Amino acid sequence: MKSPPEAEQPPPPAVATRTDHLPTPILDAERSNLIKRISEEGGYAYVSMEALAAGGDFRAAEAAREMAWEQLHSGPWNSVLPVWRDAYSMACLHVAIYHYEAGDFREALKVLDMGLIMGGTLLRQDLGSAVEIVSMRSCCVAKGCEKRGTFFSEVSQSQVLPNRSLSCKIVEKRSSLSIEGFLRDYFLSGSPVIISDCMSHWPASKKWKDMDYLKRVAGDRTIPVEVGKNYLCPKWKQELITFSQFLERILSNQCNNSSTTYLAQHPLFDQIQELRGDIFVPDYCFAGGGELRSLNAWFGPAGTVTPLHHDPHHNILAQVVGKKYIRLYPASVSDDLYPHSESMLSNSSQVDLDNVNEKEFPRAQDLDFMDCILEEGEMLYIPPKWWHYVKSLATSFSVSFWWSEHDSSEIS
């Protein structure tokens, strides 16, 4: 008599042939300390799942990641305890290891990027090292986009500019401005200036015009994007998509004038080191004995708008590809620009320069301003607290460098 057949089991995942391994999440002492802190915050279920995940249990790793994710969304982002951000990073590493072992490099990269975007600082180096290993081993080839070469330079579109544009004072332009001249004539007086002929040595000047290059170094990476006119509009939202999907949306926007998708104020160069190697921090960013605070990417199609707002730091906006219209108002007219009363938006104006409500905001009508067309290869210095409105006139890739003087007060 035959014994009953055994229940069919799903085949094990195909393991990629590798000569390298993803890093084990942090050292034992650091891991123990993190687990202790999670326990102190009541994360007993997470600790149990993490122990199983460390032993190779993929379902436990996913459960731990979901538990940490819930904690990240338990309230306002600035109220999330740092320990839960580190817990999320650790769970992401466990999950990524499973996908890597299974040869699913694209999914491993997605999980690691989520750890970089949403996680804490404790495991950032481990996450970065894992990204390098997975990227080297990845056999994924971006699909759905034939070779297009330098598509950026060919898609410039005329855009409707705000009323009175280029009618007051044009921002002064200086070629190859010396550090001494920058300090004396603009930094100390707090005056905007365009600096030309200082970016031609950046590899990004050529590489970022090539879609094939961007897809090769970043195509499978996950990035946060904004969808809609701008962050002050009701229908505005944020999404997480791959860089390849983002590039396709840019092309779709050019052809169909579809809803604008914008990679705005994202620390892309902390996330993707290949792109970081394509640019250099301008010497101007060390004026006043300062130190760099953040380095962000701004990438999107023609028509993207950053509404009128001000920032707390010195800012060099480098226009690597494409061109933008920029309008600036000094801090002295802040009250006449009707800042939002909510603390989260207090650095943004209620005045929509693309459609000014004259009855609601009468004092904003006749204010003097400075403006310019920032061309490809130029940098614009924006002093702290200067209000600025930005509109892309073509597919545009820009980099902003924020820095503060050592004696400047910290503004979060």
Side-chain angles (χ1 to χ4, degrees):
M1 187 175 188
K2 291 184 179 180
S3 57
E6 295 182 359
E8 291 187 3
Q9 298 295 323
V15 178
T17 302
R18 307 177 337 279
T19 58
D20 44 23
H21 301 274
L22 294 194
T24 302
I26 56 179
L27 300 175
D28 288 342
E30 293 175 323
R31 176 181 176 278
S32 297
N33 184 47
L34 176 55
I35 292 298
K36 180 181 178 182
R37 289 188 288 125
I38 294 171
S39 297
E40 291 172 349
E41 297 301 331
Y44 306 113
Y46 174 94
V47 171
S48 298
M49 291 299 100
E50 199 283 331
L52 295 173
D57 188 326
F58 171 69
R59 292 181 180 177
E62 278 285 19
R65 187 168 66 139
E66 290 177 7
M67 291 175 192
W69 180 263
E70 290 178 1
Q71 290 296 325
L72 297 184
H73 294 80
S74 60
W77 180 250
N78 58 6
S79 68
V80 175
L81 295 174
V83 66
W84 282 111
R85 300 182 192 181
D86 291 329
Y88 182 73
S89 295
M90 184 160 59
C92 284
L93 268 171
H94 287 310
V95 174
I97 287 172
Y98 172 85
H99 289 301
Y100 180 73
E101 296 286 342
D104 191 347
F105 303 125
R106 180 173 294 176
E107 191 63 26
L109 279 175
K110 179 179 179 181
V111 172
L112 291 169
D113 277 326
M114 289 302 297
L116 287 167
I117 294 169
M118 302 294 290
T121 59
L122 182 64
L123 290 169
R124 181 161 289 273
Q125 185 173 348
D126 289 298
L127 290 165
S129 298
V131 164
E132 290 183 14
I133 294 172
V134 176
S135 296
M136 285 193 301
R137 295 296 307 164
S138 177
C139 297
C140 299
V141 176
K143 298 180 180 179
C145 186
E146 67 275 12
K147 187 170 182 177
R148 294 183 172 91
T150 55
F151 74 110
F152 288 97
S153 60
E154 300 170 356
V155 297
S156 179
Q157 300 177 15
S158 60
Q159 295 289 325
V160 177
L161 298 181
N163 187 37
R164 299 175 61 212
S165 291
L166 307 175
S167 66
C168 288
K169 182 178 180 180
I170 304 299
V171 179
E172 185 178 0
K173 185 180 296 188
R174 297 283 299 274
S175 176
S176 302
L177 180 63
S178 68
I179 297 298
E180 294 78 11
F182 173 70
L183 276 166
R184 180 186 63 247
D185 299 334
Y186 305 100
F187 183 84
L188 295 177
S189 62
S191 303
V193 63
I194 293 174
I195 307 168
S196 60
D197 302 322
C198 56
M199 290 166 53
S200 59
H201 63 295
W202 288 17
S205 298
K206 294 182 178 179
K207 288 183 175 181
W208 291 4
K209 294 179 181 179
D210 187 347
M211 175 180 280
D212 295 315
Y213 169 75
L214 294 176
K215 294 192 80 170
R216 187 174 72 253
V217 302
D220 291 327
R221 306 299 300 276
T222 298
I223 54 171
V225 295
E226 301 180 355
V227 181
K229 182 180 178 182
N230 62 63
Y231 64 85
L232 295 178
C233 295
K235 294 184 179 180
W236 177 87
K237 62 180 181 179
Q238 293 177 297
E239 295 181 5
L240 289 166
I241 60 177
T242 66
F243 205 91
S244 288
Q245 290 173 323
F246 173 60
L247 292 175
E248 289 302 320
R249 289 197 189 184
I250 289 180
L251 291 173
S252 175
N253 184 272
Q254 294 166 11
C255 299
N256 307 320
N257 196 29
S258 55
S259 183
T260 300
T261 301
Y262 194 17
L263 176 68
Q265 196 175 326
H266 175 56
L268 182 69
F269 312 105
D270 290 341
Q271 186 182 352
I272 305 177
Q273 290 300 308
E274 290 90 343
L275 295 178
R276 176 65 180 85
D278 292 338
I279 59 176
F280 301 100
V281 179
D283 290 341
Y284 308 109
C285 296
F286 302 101
E291 58 181 293
L292 198 65
R293 295 295 183 184
S294 64
L295 195 165
N296 290 311
W298 307 78
F299 185 12
T304 58
V305 170
T306 301
L308 194 59
H309 72 288
H310 67 79
D311 301 309
H313 303 300
H314 297 275
N315 182 7
I316 288 282
L317 180 63
Q319 190 62 34
V320 184
V321 179
K323 58 183 178 179
K324 288 180 171 178
Y325 170 79
I326 303 172
R327 180 179 293 191
L328 305 111
Y329 295 86
S332 58
V333 301
S334 292
D335 289 343
D336 295 329
L337 294 175
Y338 303 87
H340 280 269
S341 57
E342 301 93 330
S343 58
M344 290 287 290
L345 296 174
S346 60
N347 71 325
S348 297
S349 171
Q350 298 180 66
V351 180
D352 180 358
L353 291 182
D354 291 305
N355 186 23
V356 180
N357 188 322
E358 299 181 7
K359 293 183 179 180
E360 192 172 0
F361 309 115
R363 298 196 306 274
Q365 297 307 303
D366 300 318
L367 290 176
D368 289 335
F369 54 82
M370 301 174 69
D371 63 355
C372 65
I373 303 294
L374 189 65
E375 301 284 353
E376 190 173 290
E378 296 180 339
M379 298 178 180
L380 172 64
Y381 169 59
I382 305 175
K385 298 294 186 178
W386 272 69
W387 293 84
H388 48 288
Y389 160 99
V390 185
K391 186 170 191 175
S392 295
L393 305 182
T395 298
S396 171
F397 203 156
S398 314
V399 183
S400 62
F401 301 85
W402 280 9
W403 81 96
S404 293
E405 299 167 75
H406 283 306
D407 59 350
S408 295
S409 59
E410 293 292 334
I411 304 177
S412 58

